[in-house]
Amino acid sequence: MNPEELKSSVTAAGKLPEHVAIIMDGNGRWARKRGLLRTAGHRAGVKTVKKIVRIAGDIGLKYLTLFTFSTENWKRPKDEVSAIMRLLEQTTKKELSELLENNVRLIATGNIENLPPKKREVLLDAIERTRNNTGLVLNLALSYSGRAEILQAIKNITTDLSSKKISPDDINDELFSSYLQTNGLPDPDLLIRTSGEMRISNFLLWQTAYTELYVTDVLWPDFSEDDFLKAIADYQRRDRRFGMVSPSKK
Ligand code: IPE
Ligand code: IPE
Ligand code: MG
């Protein structure tokens, strides 16, 4: 199928995932293969982000969560961390007009108070300015850790139990989800990981309980619109049972 055919077949198939999450991995390996610095890989990765955000909006996806920087990533060499933070600031500034033009609402999940003040300011400004957009919700997971998020939720629940704002009987899936940083977002339907690693790496641990997984060997800077559409087409062929028996097999 050529790209246009693939795009129309994905949109016509119905069953479009509502929320796609991506672990954008492989920037370093992409750079190494070319004898470049890891930071060149991150720069190339930003180009892929732009392409994927555009196509996600085009096909009418509602939520796209991108694992942009993990809590553990702070432990990388200082130069690499600074380069990533600089890229985040530059890209957010540069792309704001396109986000506005395309009706994209930017949000962030993670401990963004840990970002350098200037970077945080630029990010919060873009979040504020795109607040009323009604198209794709672009969620950047930044300084994010799934375990830290769960622990913070437990702490907040404990506080609300002590003050009798909630009672133990109130605690269920829905209430717990509402204490997570992703409150208000549906759980991801599809999780894509690029560059072949078969692990979650502390990403949305609670939220991916029944998410469909798709791992491709393609490195993030090489990941194309076509690769994205292929992942969605693959998802559309899946039989999601949620622990039950599919109606056709009863
Ligand atoms: C993903 O690419 C980007 C971030 C984690 C910020 P990597 O930098 O992890 O690339 P590899 O895994 O070393 O190839
Ligand atoms: C996960 O990739 C984090 C992001 C994509 C931002 P990593 O490269 O940090 O994960 P590991 O080290 O392979 O598990
Ligand atoms: Mg990696």
Side-chain angles (χ1 to χ4, degrees):
M1 258 189 260
N2 70 39
E4 273 314 308
E5 281 169 356
L6 183 58
K7 191 165 152 189
S8 4
S9 105
V10 159
T11 40
K15 253 181 62 169
L16 199 65
E18 193 182 12
H19 183 178
V20 176
I22 308 183
I23 301 178
M24 310 185 287
D25 199 14
N27 293 350
R29 276 163 280 177
W30 182 92
R32 198 174 54 214
K33 263 178 41 186
R34 286 163 179 75
L36 302 169
L37 293 174
R38 293 179 59 82
T39 48
H42 297 312
R43 259 199 310 278
V46 170
K47 291 197 182 138
T48 304
V49 170
K50 289 193 224 167
K51 281 193 292 196
I52 299 307
V53 170
R54 211 171 298 137
I55 183 94
D58 269 6
I59 61 169
L61 200 77
K62 290 209 177 111
Y63 301 92
L64 178 68
T65 294
L66 300 179
F67 201 1
T68 308
F69 195 81
S70 75
T71 303
E72 292 75 20
N73 291 152
W74 288 114
K75 295 181 208 145
R76 291 190 178 195
K78 227 170 133 226
D79 286 356
E80 181 175 349
V81 171
S82 320
I84 294 173
M85 290 298 138
R86 252 196 321 275
L87 270 176
L88 171 71
E89 179 185 352
Q90 285 166 0
T91 311
T92 312
K93 269 191 191 156
K94 233 169 97 190
E95 299 306 315
L96 180 61
S97 56
E98 185 165 340
L99 294 180
L100 288 166
E101 221 167 274
N102 294 328
N103 199 19
V104 176
R105 177 154 75 97
L106 184 70
I107 61 170
T109 296
N111 292 331
I112 54 168
E113 65 279 6
N114 294 339
L115 297 181
K118 188 78 207 311
K119 323 294 178 214
R120 194 177 59 230
E121 218 175 89
V122 170
L123 178 75
L124 291 176
D125 178 60
I127 290 175
E128 174 58 26
R129 294 221 230 162
T130 60
R131 190 164 57 105
N132 295 322
N133 287 351
T134 54
L136 174 75
V137 175
L138 172 60
N139 179 27
L140 300 184
L142 273 168
S143 192
Y144 175 81
S145 147
R147 283 190 171 182
E149 180 190 34
I150 289 171
L151 291 177
Q152 189 56 52
I154 293 171
K155 288 184 195 169
N156 294 345
I157 287 174
T158 313
T159 308
D160 288 350
L161 282 171
S162 311
S163 66
K164 305 250 184 307
K165 198 169 156 198
I166 55 169
S167 78
D169 287 343
D170 294 332
I171 300 176
N172 55 25
D173 279 14
E174 201 188 331
L175 179 113
F176 193 80
S177 295
S178 76
Y179 278 81
L180 295 172
Q181 294 165 340
T182 49
N183 178 29
L185 302 185
D187 288 341
D189 300 294
L190 171 65
L191 170 64
I192 300 171
R193 181 166 188 149
T194 57
S195 84
E197 238 72 70
M198 298 282 189
R199 54 177 173 260
I200 296 285
S201 300
N202 207 4
F203 198 30
L204 306 162
L205 298 179
W206 167 274
Q207 298 88 339
T208 50
Y210 267 105
T211 300
E212 294 295 323
L213 308 178
Y214 182 92
V215 176
T216 168
D217 284 335
V218 177
L219 304 173
W220 179 249
D222 291 329
F223 191 72
S224 64
E225 286 100 331
D226 247 37
D227 292 322
F228 182 68
L229 293 170
K230 275 185 204 149
I232 293 182
D234 191 273
Y235 166 88
Q236 289 173 322
R237 290 190 292 269
R238 307 255 182 114
D239 178 19
R240 297 184 81 185
R241 291 189 289 281
F242 300 96
M244 297 174 279
V245 178
S246 39
S248 56
K249 311 240 164 43
K250 264 187 199 160

